[in-house]
Structure formats: C-alpha cells, structure tokens
Amino acid sequence: MGKGRLEAFSDGVFAIIITIMVLELKVPHHAEWSDMIHLSPVFLSYVLSFVYVGIYWNNHHHLLHATKSVTGGILWANLFLLFWLSLVPFVTDWMGENHFAQVPVICYGIVLIMCGVAYSILVRLLIKHHGEESLLGHAMGSDMKGKLSVGIYGVAIALSFVHPWWAAGLYGAVALIWLIPDRRIERKLSRSETSV
C-alpha cells in the first residue's frame, strides 16, 4: 500500500493534539504577575508536551520520508503510536493543573514510555517490511537514543515516588536530548541521493 493516507492522517492527528493542548491553556482572571506565576506549572507542562509532540512529528516525518510503502500491520502500529500521543493533552493538563503532583507525573511518564515503545514498534515493523539492508534499516541502526529514552522514562517514573519535580526534570532532559534533531535518516537519504 502507498503511504500517502497514513502520512495525511497522522499529520492531522498531530495538529489536533497540539490544538487541544493550546485550547487547554486558560488565561488568568486578573492582570497581576502573581496570577501568571500561579499558572506557571500549567505553562511549563504545556511547553514540555509541545516539545515532545513536535519531536515525534519531526521524527515521524523523517521516518515516513524514508518509507516506500506500508502494510496493514504498519497502519495498526501507527495507530498505536497515535493513540498514546493523543493522551498527551490529557496528562499534560492534569499534571499542570495539579502543580506536578505525584500521580499525574507518574501517568505522564507512563504515556511517554508508551509513546516511546509504540514508536519503536513502528520503526521495527517498517524495517522488517523494507529489510534490514534498506536505507531505513541502515539509518536506524541499533537506536540507542530511543532505548536510552525509554530507560530514563522508567527511572523518572520510579523517581516520581520520591520527588515528582525531579522526575519532571528527567522528562525535560530526554526532550533536550531529542531536541537536537535526529539526523540519521537525513544523512542516509542525502548519501543515497549523491551516490545516484
């Protein structure tokens, strides 16, 4: 099957997720700095989640750019990823509204870890479909960055039981790791284009 509908649908879901998150931001009822300070956890959780959704959108775009076709299993794996990403607005709002309390921070971490697992499943199925020797297979390699991220999420979830703000700091650290764009696919694509 062609990948066009999968790309279009996924881009639409990413846009809706960001729209929902921004609509959840409520303006202060008064015009004082103290009102803004009171809303800072809400804004911080929004920024963190916006960065995460942006990272997933960017990497998803690169992943599909290196993909020629998809299968039914790949469609389901993509939906599995989009399901977990669609929960990001809920846990973002819950965590921000409750000033990074323990249970919302744990749930945020669970959603992040499941997004990471779902993305890994999608990558594995795409590589299986295109072959280990494909451009995508070579570009993704062992995916140490992805495995490290899932491990840090696990540590952060455990840390949430001790101090939720430390866990949130680890979530932010993983976002910073991924904020530096993952150039593996771009490098492989540019090499294959120059060798043609």
Side-chain angles (χ1 to χ4, degrees):
M1 288 183 265
K3 61 179 182 173
R5 291 190 68 197
L6 182 142
E7 285 180 299
F9 179 75
S10 299
D11 282 347
V13 172
F14 277 106
I16 289 167
I17 289 169
I18 287 177
T19 301
I20 291 169
M21 285 191 325
V22 77
L23 290 176
E24 289 297 321
L25 288 177
K26 305 296 183 219
V27 297
H29 295 294
H30 301 37
E32 303 298 325
W33 286 113
S34 59
D35 295 312
M36 285 297 291
I37 291 169
H38 179 69
L39 289 176
S40 61
V42 173
F43 186 71
L44 284 172
S45 64
Y46 168 77
V47 170
L48 181 62
S49 294
F50 186 92
V51 168
Y52 266 112
V53 173
I55 288 166
Y56 273 103
W57 176 80
N58 193 329
N59 288 325
H60 189 270
H61 170 75
H62 284 91
L63 189 65
L64 291 181
H65 189 69
T67 300
K68 291 182 172 49
S69 61
V70 296
T71 64
I74 291 168
L75 294 176
W76 281 109
N78 193 66
L79 282 172
F80 186 60
L81 171 62
L82 294 177
F83 167 77
W84 287 103
L85 285 169
S86 73
L87 293 176
V88 169
F90 171 75
V91 291
T92 299
D93 194 38
W94 192 25
M95 186 170 70
E97 286 291 327
N98 290 286
H99 297 239
F100 290 77
Q102 184 184 67
V103 174
V105 170
I106 291 168
C107 290
Y108 189 85
I110 291 168
V111 168
L112 289 181
I113 207 167
M114 289 309 299
C115 286
V117 167
Y119 187 81
S120 294
I121 291 169
L122 178 60
V123 168
R124 289 289 113 212
L125 286 176
L126 283 167
I127 291 172
K128 182 180 176 187
H129 176 60
H130 289 86
E132 293 287 340
E133 297 303 314
S134 67
L135 179 88
L136 185 61
H138 283 290
M140 295 309 293
S142 64
D143 193 26
M144 283 308 296
K145 200 168 164 181
K147 292 173 184 170
L148 176 66
S149 299
V150 170
I152 294 172
Y153 295 146
V155 170
I157 290 168
L159 196 56
S160 298
F161 290 94
V162 179
H163 201 291
W165 277 98
W166 293 348
L170 282 181
Y171 300 149
V174 174
L176 287 175
I177 291 169
W178 283 98
L179 206 53
I180 300 163
D182 191 354
R183 301 273 186 226
R184 292 177 290 183
I185 294 174
E186 282 183 12
R187 282 194 299 266
K188 288 291 182 183
L189 282 172
S190 65
R191 282 185 200 144
S192 73
E193 288 169 0
T194 55
S195 63
V196 172

